[in-house]
Amino acid sequence: MDAFSSSEEKIFKAAIDLFCENGFDGTKMQAIADKAGISKASLHYYFRSKDRLFKKVVQNLLSMLITNVTGEIKEDTCIEELLQKLISGYFDMFRKFRKQTFFVFAELVKHQKLLADIIQGIDKIAVIQEILLRLQKEREKGTIIAIAPEDLIINIIAMCIYPLMAEPMIKLIMSMSDNEFEQLLNRRKQVVTDFTLRAILVRS
Amino acid sequence: MDAFSSSEEKIFKAAIDLFCENGFDGTKMQAIADKAGISKASLHYYFRSKDRLFKKVVQNLLSMLITNVTGEIKEDTCIEELLQKLISGYFDMFRKFRKQTFFVFAELVKHQKLLADIIQGIDKIAVIQEILLRLQKEREKGTIIAIAPEDLIINIIAMCIYPLMAEPMIKLIMSMSDNEFEQLLNRRKQVVTDFTLRAILVRS
DNA sequence: ATACAGTTTGACCAAACGGTCAGACCAATG
DNA sequence: CATTGGTCTGACCGTTTGGTCAAACTGTAT
């Protein structure tokens, strides 16, 4: 009677995969059961309804995405290194959990009512707050220009996340091949870091 | 026997609204019929199947979004004004057609197979090409730093579009109220313009 | 009036959907 | 061996889904 028996785990993993791939409405309970290798009735045995299963999946992914950005940002690292690590961390995570990220974004917009319920199950948003504070300090120190930390972080996340979410659009509009696009992604961390540092660093 | 009879138009508009709101799987034919004020059978009379109707909707929106960014970019405007107008244009459009943009992004990722069919029905992607060329020129002139025009445009679009698509996430992570977020959106054009110009302008 | 092509619909269909339930299965305990 | 409690399922249910079709309804030209 573990919190995660083998079957429950298999179901949950299958549900994550399929929900991320096809969204809430596009995912059928039978498909989850098939992928998990159990009967549809067992689904309802472990998770009472589709909505409950869905909510748990979203909660799990959101929590994972938020807490995953944490770590290794010490107080004594200079602003350049801080931003570089931040960008690198965000980009790698978004690239690794591409579909999951897009899924959470999309479904959170559609089912805004669920958000209130989901928030309570999530622990740490403190990491971001920490970074916001550090940026505020740097600004007072005069190493970076006057910019609201929120604006700066949004800019950074935007530049990291957008190419990953907009791949088909970018390829279409820019007439890019798969190869060219992959090159673009590979140089992306450097591009965003340079761009950001040039934008906010106060030069002597 | 117009290309758009009154009924056909009503159906198409209803379809756009509902598809944008609920996605492909979340939109039911009966709901479209109800919203258009006609019978479900009439839907199939004008558009043979749900897939065909869906494809036409995506095609129409994608074409609209792409061609809508055009206009008023003359050759003699300086780089600062060019970027400011570009950012302003993108941001206003994305803000105006927020749901449509998100919808096209999401469904284009899911149904990547349809993209090949859809591309053929779209005329002008030339506007972007024009801007890419102009940026290349400025770079050679030495007014802006060495950055691939594609990277620059992606950065700009990213910073414009991301806050609009990630509203719930941002509010959650940054602990923002509706009011604070609206303020953030209102200053966004200025923020992105300043940020971008500082990042790419060669200073004397 | 009649004929005709385009439009619109109620009634209908097979398939798929989320969900239920009685009962089979299976270890572990007495 | 018998009982018990958790696990698992085939069969089933009511509803909803995308799609069809013959028939009714328009207006217009003959």
Side-chain angles (χ1 to χ4, degrees):
Chain A
M1 196 186 158
D2 287 322
F4 288 99
S5 75
S6 179
S7 280
E8 190 172 352
E9 219 174 11
K10 277 192 287 182
I11 292 171
F12 200 66
K13 283 183 180 171
I16 288 180
D17 276 3
L18 290 174
F19 274 133
C20 284
E21 193 83 31
N22 308 109
F24 177 79
D25 296 305
T27 301
K28 313 305 172 188
M29 294 297 263
Q30 188 62 61
I32 298 177
D34 291 347
K35 183 151 191 170
I38 47 93
S39 77
K40 194 182 59 168
S42 284
L43 280 193
H44 290 87
Y45 172 75
Y46 284 104
F47 309 86
R48 290 188 54 84
S49 70
K50 189 182 182 184
D51 293 84
R52 285 170 108 91
L53 176 54
F54 176 74
K55 199 186 286 188
K56 289 203 176 184
V57 166
V58 173
Q59 197 164 326
N60 180 283
L61 288 179
L62 184 59
S63 176
M64 185 267 286
L65 288 176
I66 287 181
T67 59
N68 215 322
V69 79
T70 180
E72 57 212 326
I73 292 171
K74 299 165 190 165
E75 286 203 18
D76 59 339
T77 53
C78 64
I79 183 71
E80 288 93 341
E81 199 182 334
L82 179 95
L83 285 180
Q84 185 226 314
K85 281 196 177 173
L86 191 68
I87 290 166
S88 181
Y90 270 125
F91 187 81
D92 288 339
M93 182 187 68
F94 289 141
R95 192 168 192 181
K96 185 174 179 186
F97 302 109
R98 200 165 169 172
K99 290 198 171 176
Q100 290 89 331
T101 306
F102 205 159
F103 164 73
V104 171
F105 270 67
E107 300 296 332
L108 232 51
V109 170
K110 269 189 211 166
H111 309 82
Q112 296 209 24
K113 306 154 198 170
L114 297 187
L115 211 148
D117 303 353
I118 290 175
I119 288 180
Q120 297 165 338
I122 293 177
D123 309 320
K124 291 192 175 183
I125 320 178
V127 192
I128 294 273
Q129 302 297 342
E130 211 175 293
I131 295 169
L132 289 179
L133 227 70
R134 172 69 194 274
L135 289 175
Q136 190 68 25
K137 263 191 217 164
E138 292 289 334
R139 187 176 148 188
E140 285 162 8
K141 238 196 290 176
T143 52
I144 66 173
I145 63 159
I147 182 175
E150 291 86 359
D151 291 331
L152 176 54
I153 287 205
I154 287 178
N155 285 355
I156 288 175
I157 296 182
M159 289 188 284
C160 286
I161 218 174
Y162 172 77
L164 297 169
M165 291 175 70
E167 176 172 345
M169 291 282 276
I170 292 176
K171 280 183 184 166
L172 170 63
I173 293 176
M174 306 259 188
S175 318
M176 271 188 181
S177 68
D178 291 356
N179 236 326
E180 285 171 316
F181 185 78
E182 206 190 316
Q183 283 174 20
L184 187 140
L185 282 194
N186 286 337
R187 69 168 181 266
R188 190 83 196 133
K189 278 154 71 169
Q190 192 62 48
V191 167
V192 175
T193 305
D194 292 348
F195 196 86
T196 304
L197 284 178
R198 265 195 70 92
I200 68 166
L201 236 52
V202 170
R203 268 160 269 174
S204 53
Chain B
M1 194 187 155
D2 286 321
F4 288 98
S5 75
S6 179
S7 281
E8 190 171 352
E9 220 174 9
K10 277 192 285 182
I11 293 172
F12 201 65
K13 282 182 181 172
I16 289 180
D17 276 3
L18 290 174
F19 274 133
C20 284
E21 194 81 34
N22 308 107
F24 177 79
D25 296 303
T27 302
K28 313 305 172 189
M29 295 297 264
Q30 189 61 60
I32 299 177
D34 291 347
K35 182 151 193 171
I38 47 95
S39 77
K40 195 181 60 167
S42 284
L43 280 192
H44 291 86
Y45 174 74
Y46 283 104
F47 309 86
R48 292 188 54 85
S49 70
K50 189 183 181 184
D51 292 86
R52 285 169 108 92
L53 175 55
F54 176 73
K55 200 185 286 187
K56 288 201 176 184
V57 166
V58 173
Q59 197 163 327
N60 180 283
L61 287 179
L62 183 60
S63 175
M64 184 267 284
L65 288 175
I66 287 181
T67 59
N68 215 321
V69 78
T70 180
E72 55 212 327
I73 293 170
K74 296 164 191 166
E75 285 204 20
D76 59 340
T77 52
C78 64
I79 184 70
E80 288 92 340
E81 199 183 334
L82 179 95
L83 284 181
Q84 184 226 313
K85 283 199 175 171
L86 192 67
I87 290 167
S88 182
Y90 269 125
F91 187 80
D92 287 340
M93 183 187 68
F94 290 140
R95 193 169 192 181
K96 185 174 178 185
F97 301 109
R98 200 165 166 172
K99 289 198 173 178
Q100 290 89 331
T101 306
F102 205 160
F103 164 74
V104 171
F105 269 68
E107 300 296 330
L108 230 52
V109 170
K110 269 189 211 165
H111 308 83
Q112 295 210 24
K113 308 154 195 170
L114 297 188
L115 210 148
D117 304 353
I118 290 173
I119 289 179
Q120 297 164 339
I122 293 177
D123 307 320
K124 289 191 175 182
I125 321 178
V127 192
I128 294 273
Q129 302 297 342
E130 211 176 291
I131 295 169
L132 288 180
L133 227 69
R134 172 69 195 274
L135 290 175
Q136 190 68 25
K137 262 191 217 165
E138 293 288 336
R139 186 176 149 187
E140 285 162 8
K141 238 197 287 176
T143 51
I144 67 173
I145 63 158
I147 183 175
E150 291 86 359
D151 291 331
L152 176 53
I153 288 205
I154 287 178
N155 286 355
I156 288 175
I157 296 182
M159 289 188 285
C160 286
I161 217 175
Y162 173 76
L164 297 169
M165 290 175 71
E167 176 173 344
M169 290 282 277
I170 293 176
K171 280 182 183 167
L172 170 64
I173 293 177
M174 307 259 189
S175 319
M176 273 188 178
S177 68
D178 291 356
N179 235 328
E180 286 171 316
F181 186 78
E182 206 189 317
Q183 283 175 21
L184 186 141
L185 281 193
N186 287 336
R187 67 169 183 265
R188 190 83 196 133
K189 278 154 72 168
Q190 192 63 48
V191 167
V192 174
T193 305
D194 292 349
F195 196 86
T196 304
L197 285 178
R198 264 194 70 91
I200 68 166
L201 236 53
V202 170
R203 268 161 271 173
S204 50

Coordinates of all heavy atoms in Angstrom, one line a residue, chain B residues 30 33 37-44, chain C residues 8-10:
Chain B
Q30 N -21.9 20.6 -32.6 CA -23.1 21.1 -32.2 C -23.0 22.5 -31.6 O -23.9 23.4 -31.8 CB -23.7 20.2 -31.1 CG -25.2 20.5 -30.8 CD -26.1 20.4 -32.0 OE1 -26.3 19.4 -32.6 NE2 -26.7 21.5 -32.3
A33 N -22.7 25.0 -34.3 CA -24.0 25.2 -34.9 C -24.9 26.1 -34.1 O -25.5 27.0 -34.6 CB -24.7 23.8 -35.2
G37 N -26.3 29.7 -34.9 CA -27.8 29.8 -35.0 C -28.3 29.0 -36.2 O -29.4 29.4 -36.7
I38 N -27.7 27.9 -36.5 CA -28.2 27.1 -37.6 C -28.1 25.6 -37.2 O -27.6 25.3 -36.1 CB -27.5 27.3 -38.9 CG1 -25.9 27.3 -38.7 CG2 -27.9 28.6 -39.6 CD1 -25.3 26.0 -38.9
S39 N -28.6 24.7 -38.0 CA -28.6 23.3 -37.6 C -27.2 22.7 -37.9 O -26.4 23.2 -38.7 CB -29.6 22.5 -38.4 OG -29.1 22.3 -39.7
K40 N -27.0 21.6 -37.1 CA -25.7 20.9 -37.3 C -25.5 20.4 -38.7 O -24.4 20.4 -39.2 CB -25.6 19.8 -36.3 CG -24.2 19.3 -36.1 CD -24.2 18.1 -35.1 CE -25.0 17.0 -35.5 NZ -24.8 15.7 -34.7
A41 N -26.6 20.0 -39.3 CA -26.5 19.4 -40.7 C -26.0 20.5 -41.6 O -25.3 20.1 -42.6 CB -27.9 18.9 -41.1
S42 N -26.3 21.7 -41.4 CA -25.9 22.8 -42.3 C -24.4 23.0 -42.2 O -23.7 23.3 -43.2 CB -26.6 24.1 -41.9 OG -27.9 24.1 -42.4
L43 N -23.8 22.7 -41.1 CA -22.3 22.7 -40.9 C -21.7 21.8 -42.0 O -20.8 22.2 -42.7 CB -21.9 22.3 -39.5 CG -22.0 23.2 -38.4 CD1 -21.2 22.6 -37.2 CD2 -21.4 24.5 -38.7
H44 N -22.2 20.6 -42.0 CA -21.6 19.6 -42.9 C -22.0 19.9 -44.4 O -21.4 19.4 -45.3 CB -22.1 18.2 -42.6 CG -21.5 17.8 -41.3 ND1 -22.0 18.0 -40.0 CD2 -20.3 17.1 -41.0 CE1 -21.3 17.5 -39.1 NE2 -20.3 17.0 -39.6
Chain C
dT8 P -28.9 28.5 -45.7 OP1 -29.4 29.8 -45.3 OP2 -27.5 28.1 -45.7 O5' -29.8 27.4 -44.9 C5' -31.2 27.6 -44.8 C4' -31.8 26.3 -44.2 O4' -31.7 25.2 -45.2 C3' -31.1 25.8 -43.0 O3' -31.9 26.1 -41.8 C2' -31.0 24.3 -43.2 C1' -31.9 24.0 -44.4 N1 -31.4 22.9 -45.3 C2 -32.3 21.9 -45.6 O2 -33.4 21.8 -45.1 N3 -31.8 20.9 -46.4 C4 -30.5 20.9 -47.0 O4 -30.2 20.0 -47.8 C5 -29.7 22.0 -46.7 C7 -28.3 22.1 -47.3 C6 -30.2 23.0 -45.9
dT9 P -31.4 25.7 -40.4 OP1 -31.9 26.7 -39.5 OP2 -30.0 25.4 -40.4 O5' -32.2 24.3 -40.2 C5' -33.6 24.3 -40.5 C4' -34.1 22.8 -40.4 O4' -33.5 22.1 -41.6 C3' -33.6 22.0 -39.2 O3' -34.7 21.7 -38.4 C2' -32.9 20.8 -39.8 C1' -33.4 20.8 -41.2 N1 -32.4 20.2 -42.2 C2 -32.8 19.0 -42.9 O2 -33.9 18.5 -42.8 N3 -31.8 18.6 -43.7 C4 -30.5 19.1 -43.9 O4 -29.7 18.6 -44.7 C5 -30.2 20.2 -43.1 C7 -28.9 20.9 -43.2 C6 -31.2 20.7 -42.3
dG10 P -34.6 21.5 -36.9 OP1 -35.4 22.5 -36.2 OP2 -33.2 21.3 -36.5 O5' -35.4 20.1 -36.8 C5' -36.7 19.9 -37.3 C4' -37.0 18.4 -37.5 O4' -36.0 17.9 -38.5 C3' -36.8 17.6 -36.3 O3' -37.8 16.6 -36.3 C2' -35.4 17.0 -36.4 C1' -35.2 16.9 -37.9 N9 -33.9 17.1 -38.4 C8 -33.0 18.0 -38.0 N7 -31.8 18.0 -38.7 C5 -32.0 17.0 -39.6 C6 -31.1 16.5 -40.6 O6 -30.0 16.9 -40.8 N1 -31.7 15.5 -41.3 C2 -33.0 15.0 -41.2 N2 -33.3 14.0 -42.0 N3 -33.8 15.4 -40.2 C4 -33.3 16.4 -39.5

